[in-house]
Amino acid sequence: MIIDFHTHVHPPREQARPFWKGKCPATIENVLATHERAGLSISVISSAAQYLRDLTREQALPELRASNEYMASLRDAHPDKIVAIATTIPGGGDEYLRELERAVKQDDLRAVLISSSHRGAYPDDDDALPFFDLVTKLDIPVFIHPPAVGFGEERVNIYRLASSVGRPFDNCLAISRLIVRGIYERFPTLKIVGSHLCGGMSEIIGRMDYAYEMGEEAFFLGSYEPMLITRKPSDYLRMMYMDTTSYHAPAIRCAADTVGADRLVFGSDSPMLLSIKQKAIDVVKEAGFTPQQEAAIMGGTAKMLLKM
């Protein structure tokens, strides 16, 4: 079984934007075509909602509701191949929470995608706490995905660095903030899936641990107060899940060594780029996992998270 946790479909209004020149890659037709070529069992579709960047929270709500309904309709049209997940803005307020609950309970969307940041807001902000309370009660995974550009936009506007570097950086920052701000102290059963290997957090988690552990010796690094966590950050990282989107076998191996292979789910992020689907599969195989580990990564863990 191969479950691709990370594929995107844009809602019709976004597909029709002149920007795409009639060639929007994030369509259900492209999902199904790459699905067949790669021999997938299930494609998990989501709207990354990067088109919401220029909308206020009030303007974005009807767009998200339409997107959630569209994802459900595509799943209904292809129930043997598609699992659909919702999209929301975690600090959007009560109306967003009601829409997410509707999408999960009525439309059977199995998870929710949030951006690692939205118009400068991050998911550890206090106004997002009701969102985490809801998803914990609904017992659905939260898929954290980067926006089109997060922080530092002015320095990643060349050579496609916004995509290759800026987006993972934003994911890493958001998840780091959730850890040190005590999200698992408040919601210990929360299920977070960080896209793009949590933005490379396995590489820097040791630095987060020593920042936590060194006390007064590291006074020159700044304050660690107020203390909101009771264990070192790597302990919380091992409570999370990561998708394998990275296209670099040693990075996937590093993540597995850090959090455990059973905490990885296969993801390709294709669509958007259609040609990388097979590469995403091949790079997991290149990482040298046991057959049992590979089975968990390629489908078993996602099947559990999505209650399939």
Side-chain angles (χ1 to χ4, degrees):
M1 172 176 282
I2 302 178
I3 300 174
D4 190 343
F5 205 93
H6 192 162
T7 68
H8 294 308
V9 175
H10 286 331
R13 282 185 59 180
E14 172 62 12
Q15 292 181 32
R17 269 208 307 145
F19 171 82
W20 295 112
K21 302 175 183 178
K23 299 178 181 179
C24 179
T27 65
I28 190 60
E29 291 78 15
N30 283 335
V31 167
L32 294 173
T34 56
H35 179 109
E36 294 300 324
R37 285 198 297 269
L40 303 184
S41 306
I42 294 291
S43 292
V44 182
I45 60 170
S46 59
S47 170
Q50 294 173 349
Y51 52 89
L52 300 179
R53 180 183 181 188
D54 298 325
L55 302 182
T56 66
R57 290 180 179 182
E58 292 74 21
Q59 293 169 330
L61 180 61
E63 299 289 336
L64 285 175
R65 183 180 296 115
S67 172
N68 291 339
E69 292 172 345
Y70 182 60
M71 298 299 144
S73 74
L74 297 177
R75 184 271 325 283
D76 290 346
H78 308 280
D80 57 331
K81 297 177 181 178
I82 298 297
V83 167
I85 69 178
T87 302
T88 196
I89 297 172
D94 290 344
E95 289 185 284
Y96 279 81
L97 298 178
R98 286 195 292 271
E99 165 52 24
L100 175 58
E101 188 167 18
R102 183 210 63 78
V104 171
K105 291 183 174 180
Q106 294 183 23
D107 288 345
D108 194 27
L109 301 191
R110 297 296 179 92
V112 58
L113 180 149
I114 64 170
S115 289
S116 53
S117 65
H118 177 70
R119 294 166 64 94
Y122 280 80
D124 65 283
D125 293 344
D126 289 344
D127 62 4
L129 288 174
F131 163 79
F132 287 108
D133 183 57
L134 175 62
V135 296
T136 301
K137 290 174 179 174
L138 292 173
D139 192 28
I140 59 170
V142 178
F143 187 40
I144 300 184
H145 187 279
V149 180
F151 68 96
E153 180 175 2
E154 71 282 357
R155 304 308 296 174
V156 293
N157 57 1
I158 58 173
Y159 298 102
R160 297 174 179 162
L161 292 177
S163 173
S164 59
V165 176
R167 291 175 188 170
F169 275 2
D170 201 71
N171 243 30
C172 186
L173 174 61
I175 292 168
S176 300
R177 289 180 62 97
L178 284 168
I179 288 175
V180 297
R181 293 258 291 160
I183 195 66
Y184 280 107
E185 301 296 329
R186 291 175 178 265
F187 306 104
T189 62
L190 176 65
K191 298 181 179 72
I192 289 177
V193 181
S195 65
H196 304 277
L197 294 176
C198 283
M201 278 204 67
S202 298
E203 170 67 20
I204 59 92
I205 194 64
R207 297 179 65 88
M208 290 187 68
D209 278 355
Y210 84 61
Y212 167 77
E213 292 173 328
M214 284 194 163
E216 281 306 305
E217 181 184 354
F219 73 93
F220 53 88
L221 299 178
S223 173
Y224 215 98
E225 299 296 333
M227 182 65 71
L228 300 174
I229 55 178
T230 58
R231 290 178 282 163
K232 62 183 185 294
S234 59
D235 289 341
Y236 299 99
L237 185 63
R238 284 191 287 271
M239 296 171 71
M240 297 185 183
Y241 299 84
M242 306 181 184
D243 90 358
T244 61
T245 304
S246 72
Y247 321 112
H248 187 51
I252 297 173
R253 187 77 247 179
C254 177
D257 290 344
T258 302
V259 302
D262 61 337
R263 291 277 163 171
L264 304 185
V265 298
F266 170 66
S268 71
D269 201 5
S270 172
M272 298 292 284
L273 296 172
L274 305 181
S275 62
I276 59 178
K277 181 77 79 177
Q278 188 61 49
K279 179 177 176 61
I281 296 173
D282 293 342
V283 77
V284 174
K285 296 182 180 298
E286 291 167 14
F289 294 109
T290 68
Q292 293 80 8
Q293 289 173 325
E294 187 174 309
I297 293 168
M298 298 305 289
T301 299
K303 184 178 179 181
M304 176 272 295
L305 286 170
L306 297 168
K307 298 185 177 69
M308 293 170 56

